[in-house]
Amino acid sequence: MKITAIILAAGQGTRMKSDLPKVLHPVCGVPMIAHSLAAVKAASNESPVVIIGYGAEAVSEFLGERARCIVQNPQLGTGHAVLQAESSLRGKTDLVLVTYADMPLLRPETLKQLVETQKANPGPLTMLTVSAADPRGFGRVVRAPDGSVQAIIEEAVATEEQLSIHELNVGAYCFSADWLWEALHKIKVSPRPARDSGLYAGTGTTTPKGEYYLTDTVALAVRAGQTVQALVSDDVAETIGINTRLHLAEAEAAMRQRINRAHMLAGVTMVDPASTYIEPGVKIGRDTVIWPNTYLRGKTVIGEGCVIGPNTSAEDTTVGDCCEILAAVLEGAVVEDNVGIGPFAHLRSGAHLCKGVHMGNFGEIKDSTLGPGTKMGHFSYIGNASIGEEVNIGAGTVTCNYDGVHKNQTEIGEGAFIGSDTMLVAPVKIGAHSRTGAGAVVTKDVEPGTLVVGVPARAIRALENKKRVKSDE
Ligand code: UD1
Ligand code: CA
């Protein structure tokens, strides 16, 4: 059975008061449309369709190959929006799953259940409802005394009595496709509600008096004597729809809670989940402890048994097992097992810390590899460098990697000892087991096992013991 999802995303979301189309506003770091897309993908088996309008270019650029975009212009309501997909989908799908892009908390399981309910329904549609104290401007679900669903009444057209109904239309439906297209052509225009369905994206010359409500399909089915099923959600958070920035913050908190809960149940300790910010794509190993005010973003992966934070942010970063990272910012970095970082360290893209590296306070590393066991305790900048094993980088060492035109490479061999405040003027190579004196400005390559000092640094003697100089603090 072919199941195709249609996500409605054409409205501007006027009440967001934003230049950014509403559906591109992020929730836990991911634009809300991407959350909707992930949810419908689990419940459908054909490429999803997204109806776009306001900010169409930005939205379709974001979606790329992930969905088929159809432009709705002008935007005449949710019923009209779904109708835009008719010519692409007629005869090509059995069921149509419709959701709105401003409901990022809808769970894939719920949508799957919605589809299953409709598969068993002899009637043409199943809708998702929820009982909530705060109606939030949602459509009210009107039932007959026998409990059967009769209609969805939009707030704009509801009577006093209907306004007091607490069962709400969440905004997710599964339709029998053939029935849907016929029904959409029969929907009549209703008063345009004073809400956020958006500016009319056209020339400004059309100012329609009303909208075509998708929700009117319910009464149409009932009038034709057909059964409308309602699946009642037991998760009010799931139904948070976003119309304003207040809702956006609510959704953010609810999703954060959901993400953190899943990690905790999988064996991650969070000292204060309310101040732990983890994006949906992040993976964390068991027995890792996350301290407050920590942000794990993008495709970050943290291993087992780590201690992360407080006050740490990691984006698109991979961290091995048993690492301790305190008050650090990591962006596109790779950190192997048993590494200690911070406090106050900055790893930028291309930073690669091998096993057992110690990076202390006030260091910055970019596009550089630090070999196993290397120590960089205090106040250093390392950029475009390749550093061997067991190197000691003294306090204040700087790779002078930029000559104003090019980024130049620094190489440091294993076991080297770089004295405090050394300037390594790249391109430059420091041989294995050599040493630089405090304050040296190294402008030329240094042979292995050599001591250089001064400005500019010159070799003063070969080191007798070319073996490893034991790095010390
Ligand atoms: C809609 C429902 C309401 C439900 C609520 C749940 C209708 C008529 N009402 O109201 O019953 O309780 O959602 O959140 O469906 N859109 C388009 N094209 C349009 C108009 C809207 O694509 O012409 C899109 C919007 O971008 C948005 C979604 O459809 O993503 C819902 O529109 P919105 O104006 O937010 O509807 P609500 O007033 O929230
Ligand atoms: Ca809405």
Side-chain angles (χ1 to χ4, degrees):
M1 184 174 267
K2 288 187 177 169
I3 306 156
T4 309
I6 302 177
I7 299 176
L8 306 191
Q12 177 184 13
T14 318
R15 287 199 277 160
M16 292 294 283
K17 308 236 162 79
S18 176
D19 293 337
L20 189 68
K22 176 163 79 171
V23 301
L24 294 183
H25 279 264
V27 174
C28 290
V30 178
M32 56 178 105
I33 181 97
H35 291 289
S36 309
L37 209 54
V40 301
K41 276 197 170 157
S44 57
N45 52 24
E46 295 280 302
S47 157
V49 170
V50 178
I51 308 297
I52 57 176
Y54 180 81
E57 212 165 289
V59 177
S60 76
E61 191 190 316
F62 171 77
L63 290 170
E65 300 292 296
R66 290 187 277 181
R68 295 177 268 175
C69 293
I70 296 176
V71 177
Q72 179 200 18
N73 187 8
Q75 293 131 28
L76 303 180
T78 49
H80 177 257
V82 175
L83 198 54
Q84 307 310 303
E86 181 189 14
S87 56
S88 308
L89 297 184
R90 196 182 249 278
K92 296 197 180 113
T93 187
D94 302 298
L95 294 180
V96 174
L97 174 66
V98 179
T99 66
Y100 303 150
D102 62 355
M103 319 213 59
L105 284 128
L106 271 180
R107 287 174 305 163
E109 307 85 70
T110 306
L111 295 179
K112 273 192 221 165
Q113 224 182 321
L114 191 71
V115 169
E116 290 311 312
T117 310
Q118 178 52 25
K119 279 184 185 167
N121 178 15
L125 83 115
T126 300
M127 59 184 286
L128 185 65
T129 76
V130 71
S131 280
D134 176 4
R136 307 174 65 100
F138 279 25
R140 311 296 204 274
V141 179
V142 178
R143 293 191 185 246
D146 69 355
S148 63
V149 172
Q150 297 298 297
I152 302 171
I153 303 295
E154 291 305 305
E155 196 161 85
V157 296
T159 62
E160 278 303 310
E161 197 190 338
Q162 287 163 339
L163 286 175
S164 68
I165 296 172
H166 287 288
E167 186 179 10
L168 311 174
N169 172 37
V170 172
Y173 324 79
C174 186
F175 296 94
S176 153
D178 295 340
W179 182 87
L180 174 64
W181 311 127
E182 298 309 319
L184 289 175
H185 286 288
K186 292 182 196 148
I187 288 178
K188 305 254 176 346
V189 118
S190 289
R192 183 169 134 71
R195 56 168 162 81
D196 68 324
S197 57
L199 299 176
Y200 295 92
T203 56
T205 53
T206 43
T207 44
K209 292 190 186 68
E211 286 192 354
Y212 297 89
Y213 293 164
L214 176 63
T215 44
D216 283 349
T217 54
V218 171
L220 267 176
V222 171
R223 259 184 265 132
Q226 288 165 307
T227 315
V228 173
Q229 284 284 1
L231 177 68
V232 183
S233 167
D234 53 8
D235 176 5
V236 178
E238 164 167 64
T239 64
I240 294 175
I242 297 171
N243 294 327
T244 68
R245 306 231 192 194
L246 292 178
H247 301 148
L248 187 65
E250 260 175 54
E252 177 90 20
M255 184 159 300
R256 181 157 72 235
Q257 223 169 47
R258 187 190 281 178
I259 292 170
N260 288 355
R261 185 185 144 85
H263 286 294
M264 289 186 281
L265 291 175
V268 174
T269 293
M270 286 182 192
V271 176
D272 180 19
S275 63
T276 302
Y277 306 84
I278 299 178
E279 293 183 2
V282 171
K283 296 192 173 69
I284 310 172
R286 51 190 284 172
D287 288 323
T288 283
V289 178
I290 314 237
W291 285 85
N293 199 26
T294 290
Y295 302 75
L296 302 179
R297 315 187 51 204
K299 293 187 166 54
T300 293
V301 178
I302 308 284
E304 298 184 357
C306 295
V307 180
I308 310 291
N311 304 324
T312 290
S313 161
E315 182 168 8
D316 297 331
T317 287
T318 302
V319 175
D321 297 336
C322 304
C323 292
E324 292 193 15
I325 304 179
L326 166 62
V329 175
L330 296 85
E331 302 152 329
V334 174
V335 175
E336 297 185 12
D337 299 344
N338 297 303
V339 169
I341 297 174
F344 317 118
H346 188 187
L347 271 67
R348 292 164 55 204
S349 74
H352 183 151
L353 273 47
C354 296
K355 278 189 177 127
V357 163
H358 165 72
M359 177 187 181
N361 39 213
F362 304 107
E364 174 182 342
I365 298 178
K366 181 215 75 168
D367 273 326
S368 297
T369 298
L370 270 60
T374 285
K375 293 188 170 57
M376 164 178 155
H378 338 263
F379 316 105
S380 285
Y381 170 64
I382 301 295
N384 305 89
S386 163
I387 299 179
E389 253 180 89
E390 300 285 345
V391 169
N392 189 85
I393 298 169
T397 296
V398 171
T399 53
C400 311
N401 61 326
Y402 187 48
D403 56 17
V405 182
H406 298 110
K407 296 285 164 70
N408 299 305
Q409 205 66 24
T410 298
E411 272 177 47
I412 303 180
E414 61 166 21
F417 185 99
I418 308 300
S420 294
D421 219 12
T422 295
M423 300 292 122
L424 299 162
V425 183
V428 71
K429 288 182 188 167
I430 308 291
H433 308 295
S434 45
R435 293 181 81 114
T436 68
V441 176
V442 184
T443 55
K444 291 194 190 111
D445 291 355
V446 175
E447 292 297 311
T450 308
L451 171 63
V452 298
V453 298
V455 181
R458 60 193 196 287
I460 53 170
R461 64 182 156 91
L463 293 164
E464 278 149 36
N465 183 0
K466 286 196 181 174
K467 286 212 199 93
R468 187 154 298 174
V469 176
K470 227 0 196 178
S471 51
D472 56 45
E473 303 293 304

